[in-house]
C-alpha cells in the first residue's frame, strides 16, 4: 500500500500549479513555490519533497537559494546543473525585484531607513563590501558606489577615491555602509580607523561623513546613533 500520493494522484486543490491558479501565489508554502520552479522531484518522490530538502540543505531556509553556491546545491540528490541554475536565478531575481521596488532617489530621515534600504543588498554578501552613499542637502539619495570589496584594512581604502566620487556626484554629505559576513555588526578596530580617516577628509572638503552603518544579519550598527562618530570618541576607540 502506498504511503504517499504522487503529484498526479493529489487532488487538484493541493497541486502547487493549480493551487496558485485558484488561490494565488501567496497561498503556496516555501516548498511549493520552489517545486513550481524545479517542476520535478528525484526518482520516486514529489517535487515538493525535493524542494523541502533544498530548504533544509543549509541553515537559512529560503535564503539557501541566494547563499548556497551552485556546487553545493548540486550535492542535493535530485538537483542537477539545470535545477541548480534555476534555483540560483530565482534567488537573484528575488534580490533584483526587492531592489526595483525601492523608490528612485529616495529621501531618508535616519539610519534605520538607510539600513533598511541597503539590508538585502549587503547582508547576503560573503565578503565585506564598503559602499559609499551620497546625498543632497534635502537627504535625497543621489547615488551609491562600491568602494572596496573583500577588505576592511584601513590602509587599503583611499579617502581620496571616496571623495573623488562624492565630488563628481555633487554630494552635500555622505554615508558609508559595509557588511559583516559574520552577521555581527559591531565595529572592528579597522572599521573605526576607516571612519576616522574619512571623517577627517570630509571636514577639509566640507562634505561631512554623516554616518557609517555596518550591516549584519537583519541588524545594523550606526556610528551616529551610537555616538561613535564624534572625533574624540573615534580617537579613543582607535587607540584602545
Amino acid at each position: 500500500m502506498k504511503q504517499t500520493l504522487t503529484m498526479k494522484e493529489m487532488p487538484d486543490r493541493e497541486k502547487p500549479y493549480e493551487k496558485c491558479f485558484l488561490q494565488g501565489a501567496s497561498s503556496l508554502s516555501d516548498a511549493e513555490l520552489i517545486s513550481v520552479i524545479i517542476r520535478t522531484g528525484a526518482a520516486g518522490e514529489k517535487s515538493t519533497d525535493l524542494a523541502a530538502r533544498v530548504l533544509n540543505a543549509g541553515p537559512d531556509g529560503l535564503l539557501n537559494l541566494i547563499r548556497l553556491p551552485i556546487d553545493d546545491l548540486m550535492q542535493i540528490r535530485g538537483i542537477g546543473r539545470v535545477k541548480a541554475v534555476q534555483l540560483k536565478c530565482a534567488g537573484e531575481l528575488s534580490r533584483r525585484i526587492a531592489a526595483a521596488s525601492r523608490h528612485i532617489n529616495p529621501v531618508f530621515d535616519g539610519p534605520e531607513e538607510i539600513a533598511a534600504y541597503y539590508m538585502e543588498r549587503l547582508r547576503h554578501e560573503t565578503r565585506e563590501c564598503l559602499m559609499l552613499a551620497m546625498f543632497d542637502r534635502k537627504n535625497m539619495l543621489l547615488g551609491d558606489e562600491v568602494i572596496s570589496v573583500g577588505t576592511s584594512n584601513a590602509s587599503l581604502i583611499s579617502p581620496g577615491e571616496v571623495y573623488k566620487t562624492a565630488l563628481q556626484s555633487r554630494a552635500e554629505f555622505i554615508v558609508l555602509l559595509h557588511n559583516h559576513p559574520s552577521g555581527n555588526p559591531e565595529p572592528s578596530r579597522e572599521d573605526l580607523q576607516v571612519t576616522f580617516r574619512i571623517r577627517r577628509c570630509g571636514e577639509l572638503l566640507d562634505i561631512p561623513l554623516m554616518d557609517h552603518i555596518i550591516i549584519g544579519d537583519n541588524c545594523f550598527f550606526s556610528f551616529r546613533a551610537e555616538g561613535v562618530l564624534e572625533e574624540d570618541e573615534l580617537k579613543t576607540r582607535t587607540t584602545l
Side-chain angles (χ1 to χ4, degrees):
M1 182 176 179
K2 292 184 179 180
Q3 299 298 313
T4 59
L5 298 176
T6 66
M7 192 67 75
K8 289 183 178 179
E9 293 170 330
M10 293 172 63
D12 284 349
R13 66 181 181 277
E14 296 180 13
K15 296 176 182 177
Y17 283 91
E18 286 75 6
K19 185 177 177 181
C20 178
F21 182 78
L22 294 171
Q23 302 177 42
S26 61
S27 69
L28 273 59
S29 67
D30 293 348
E32 288 172 332
L33 287 169
I34 293 175
S35 74
V36 171
I37 295 168
I38 60 178
R39 300 183 62 185
T40 60
E45 71 174 356
K46 300 192 296 290
S47 56
T48 49
D49 294 332
L50 176 54
R53 290 212 309 279
V54 172
L55 293 171
N56 293 323
D60 301 314
L62 271 178
L63 293 179
N64 290 337
L65 275 63
I66 295 174
R67 294 181 175 175
L68 291 181
I70 285 182
D71 288 346
D72 286 3
L73 288 171
M74 290 174 62
Q75 296 302 311
I76 303 170
R77 184 175 63 85
I79 299 294
R81 184 167 64 176
V82 171
K83 282 186 171 65
V85 168
Q86 289 172 331
L87 292 171
K88 292 300 293 183
C89 287
E92 179 60 25
L93 183 61
S94 70
R95 290 174 56 153
R96 297 190 188 188
I97 289 173
S101 67
R102 299 193 294 248
H103 295 103
I104 297 174
N105 298 116
V107 176
F108 299 107
D109 292 325
E112 295 84 2
E113 293 182 2
I114 298 174
Y117 185 83
Y118 286 99
M119 182 65 68
E120 292 306 309
R121 184 169 174 181
L122 290 173
R123 66 186 282 247
H124 305 299
E125 295 291 338
T126 57
R127 295 185 295 171
E128 286 197 10
C129 298
L130 180 68
M131 178 172 289
L132 169 67
M134 296 158 286
F135 298 84
D136 69 10
R137 65 183 60 193
K138 295 182 179 180
N139 298 339
M140 179 181 289
L141 180 66
L142 299 173
D144 54 48
E145 186 167 323
V146 174
I147 299 299
S148 71
V149 177
T151 180
S152 60
N153 189 324
S155 65
L156 298 180
I157 296 169
S158 167
E161 185 65 28
V162 169
Y163 280 102
K164 176 183 176 182
T165 304
L167 287 166
Q168 289 172 341
S169 296
R170 293 184 168 85
E172 295 289 337
F173 67 89
I174 63 171
V175 172
L176 292 178
L177 301 104
H178 81 278
N179 63 303
H180 278 180
S182 68
N184 181 355
E186 286 295 318
S188 66
R189 183 185 182 89
E190 289 78 12
D191 296 334
L192 294 161
Q193 291 172 340
V194 167
T195 306
F196 180 69
R197 294 174 67 218
I198 293 178
R199 183 188 185 282
R200 291 286 299 274
C201 289
E203 291 174 347
L204 295 173
L205 293 170
D206 198 27
I207 304 177
L209 172 65
M210 295 299 289
D211 204 349
H212 185 173
I213 297 173
I214 303 175
I215 300 295
D217 191 5
N218 265 338
C219 54
F220 70 94
F221 182 98
S222 163
F223 277 58
R224 176 164 293 278
E226 298 296 332
V228 184
L229 199 59
E230 298 303 319
E231 183 171 358
D232 290 344
E233 180 68 16
L234 280 172
K235 278 185 177 178
T236 300
R237 293 199 180 207
T238 54
T239 56
L240 289 177

